[in-house]
Amino acid sequence: MNATLSTRPYDALLLLSFGGPEGPDDVIPFLENVTRGRGIPRERLKEVGEHYFLFGGVSPINDQNRALLDALRKDFADHGLDLPVYWGNRNWAPYLTDTLREMTADGHRRILVLATSAYASYSGCRQYRENLADALAALQSEGLELPRVDKLRHYFNHAGFVEPMIEGVLRALEELPEEARAGAHLAFSTHSIPTASADTSGPVEGHGEGGAYVAQHLEVASLIADAVRERTGVEHPWQLVYQSRSGAPHIPWLEPDICDHLQTLHEAGAPGVVIAPIGFVSDHMEVLYDLDTEARAKAEELGLPIRRSATVGADPRFAAAVRDLILERAATERGEEPAVCALGTLGASHNLCPVGCCPARAPRPAAAGADSPYA
């Protein structure tokens, strides 16, 4: 193998995702996994479960991950990368611990992890690292030889992630009624999180109002809006908005909510809106329900034309970006200085999460970072 295509010292890739139910009987047990330790009543879980029951109790995220697995394996094979790809979830089968046990049994000792979350935050990064630490602790208790596990850097500003979203917004604009197209607003949507969590996202030196979480999303929104202007000659007003809020109402979360934003745009006379879910890798339940169901219903109530652009999903350019990130990290581990791809002004994210990065609500061990007990 050409040295530039070498994944050494890594011998496997783990696709690590959230997981989702695959039938009505899975819904409540899945939600119990997601909310374990928070004391949420079963009746409240049943209310949330109604979102899933609208779609037959099936979250699309698992099929999206299967498609991404196929795309990654095809890309690797087409480019001569002999790197097996495994899949594990935090909250549903295939479970992370089971997958790591399988990888260990298969002889893998240096594992790279691709999390299906592109941005810095507790729930989007450190919680995955905590789950990795839990899984490694379980394997250690079984007397197994532990692999070294590293996590790929945040890829929010990699061209292979951004370009498919640019094209998605352009297609969505074309799908708007002609009279709404030129003056359409762009609403870049992501998951709302508590403001306290946002403020402490990313490395300590970047903590502050919104932290890395908001800064990274604003960077991506700006990159897309600028590209749309360059390719169409039209400057569309845009706003970063939020969705999928949960939790106690007295705790401040990031705003504005997408439905509130649609109301504001309607009152201001906006002729149409493209909603771009930049915070999500694939069309999982929160995209289908919060955007395609609730936000669409709100827009219909207002008589406001909207279109929703596609998520990246299993786009071949994203698979190629993952290959690029793997080769970049492998070269760095070998002591080389590879070229890195990072659009915009924020630069490439760190390879190793530093101490104090996206701190936990309560101290827990986290793997694949500077504070990992499994170095």
Side-chain angles (χ1 to χ4, degrees), residues 288-320:
L288 293 188
Y289 185 80
D290 297 329
L291 297 183
D292 293 353
T293 305
E294 282 196 331
R296 183 169 297 279
K298 180 65 175 180
E300 289 175 356
E301 171 195 322
L302 297 170
L304 179 64
I306 68 165
R307 295 294 184 272
R308 199 263 290 173
S309 65
T311 52
V312 172
D315 190 289
R317 288 166 293 187
F318 181 46

Side-chain angles (χ1 to χ4, degrees), residues 344-375:
T345 61
L346 294 181
S349 185
H350 48 262
N351 279 327
L352 191 69
C353 291
V355 175
C357 191
C358 303
R361 300 178 182 94
R364 285 182 57 193
D371 55 355
S372 172
Y374 302 104

Side-chain angles (χ1 to χ4, degrees), residues 1-22:
M1 181 183 296
N2 187 308
T4 60
L5 295 180
S6 173
T7 63
R8 183 178 57 81
Y10 297 106
D11 54 24
L13 177 71
L14 168 61
L15 174 65
L16 177 55
S17 193
F18 192 81
E22 302 207 72

Side-chain angles (χ1 to χ4, degrees), residues 195-207:
T195 56
S197 180
D199 293 347
T200 56
S201 58
V204 172
E205 61 270 19
H207 290 180

Side-chain angles (χ1 to χ4, degrees), residues 30-372:
F30 162 74
L31 292 174
E32 288 174 336
N33 286 344
V34 174
T35 61
R36 182 167 286 116
R38 301 185 202 172
I40 296 177
R42 190 175 178 86
E43 290 305 311
R44 172 58 182 152
L45 296 183
K46 289 180 179 178
E47 292 176 18
V48 176
E50 291 301 322
H51 299 178
Y52 291 90
F53 292 131
L54 285 174
F55 299 90
V58 178
S59 168
I61 192 170
N62 284 341
D63 278 344
Q64 292 276 343
N65 283 327
R66 292 182 182 103
L68 180 55
L69 284 170
D70 289 343
L72 291 171
R73 288 166 178 157
K74 181 180 187 304
D75 180 90
F76 294 178
D78 289 348
H79 292 86
L81 263 66
D82 183 18
L83 190 72
V85 185
Y86 294 74
W87 169 35
N89 290 324
R90 287 169 46 187
N91 299 298
W92 202 248
Y95 287 103
L96 168 59
T97 300
D98 295 335
T99 300
L100 270 182
R101 186 183 296 111
E102 178 189 0
M103 298 176 80
T104 300
D106 289 346
H108 298 299
R109 295 294 176 264
R110 290 295 302 271
I111 296 170
L112 267 175
V113 176
L114 167 67
T116 54
S117 176
Y119 302 87
S121 70
Y122 171 76
S123 58
C125 183
R126 186 177 177 89
Q127 194 170 16
Y128 282 96
R129 294 176 48 225
E130 291 176 352
N131 295 143
L132 283 166
D134 292 343
L136 290 169
L139 299 190
Q140 188 174 53
S141 71
E142 297 168 11
L144 298 177
E145 181 182 351
L146 296 186
R148 174 171 164 177
V149 177
D150 292 328
K151 181 178 174 290
L152 288 172
R153 67 176 173 88
H154 300 301
Y155 46 84
F156 65 93
N157 56 357
H158 194 290
F161 184 68
V162 176
E163 183 61 34
M165 292 191 290
I166 294 170
E167 291 192 3
V169 170
L170 291 170
R171 286 194 298 270
L173 281 168
E174 287 298 316
E175 292 168 2
L176 279 171
E178 186 174 357
E179 63 274 14
R181 205 171 297 156
H185 287 237
L186 308 180
F188 295 105
S189 187
T190 190
H191 204 301
S192 184
I193 61 175
T195 56
S197 180
D199 293 347
T200 56
S201 58
V204 172
E205 61 270 19
H207 290 180
E209 188 174 355
Y213 186 75
V214 171
Q216 291 171 359
H217 280 87
L218 286 173
E219 179 90 320
V220 172
S222 179
L223 286 167
I224 297 172
D226 287 349
V228 170
R229 183 189 67 249
E230 290 169 4
R231 299 182 196 188
T232 65
V234 178
E235 182 157 1
H236 294 272
W238 63 269
Q239 171 77 44
L240 179 63
V241 300
Y242 302 93
Q243 62 178 88
S244 313
R245 178 194 166 126
S246 60
H250 68 278
I251 297 175
W253 284 54
L254 293 174
E255 297 177 337
D257 174 78
I258 176 61
C259 290
D260 294 340
H261 184 61
L262 293 177
Q263 178 75 45
T264 299
L265 290 181
H266 172 67
E267 292 172 357
V273 182
V274 166
I275 301 174
I278 62 172
F280 306 91
V281 173
S282 65
D283 288 8
H284 58 62
M285 184 55 65
E286 286 170 320
V287 174
L288 293 188
Y289 185 80
D290 297 329
L291 297 183
D292 293 353
T293 305
E294 282 196 331
R296 183 169 297 279
K298 180 65 175 180
E300 289 175 356
E301 171 195 322
L302 297 170
L304 179 64
I306 68 165
R307 295 294 184 272
R308 199 263 290 173
S309 65
T311 52
V312 172
D315 190 289
R317 288 166 293 187
F318 181 46
V322 174
R323 167 171 42 90
D324 184 52
L325 291 167
I326 291 167
L327 294 173
E328 173 197 307
R329 181 62 182 274
T332 301
E333 289 294 305
R334 296 193 300 268
E336 301 167 16
E337 296 183 1
V340 298
C341 178
L343 304 178
T345 61
L346 294 181
S349 185
H350 48 262
N351 279 327
L352 191 69
C353 291
V355 175
C357 191
C358 303
R361 300 178 182 94
R364 285 182 57 193
D371 55 355
S372 172

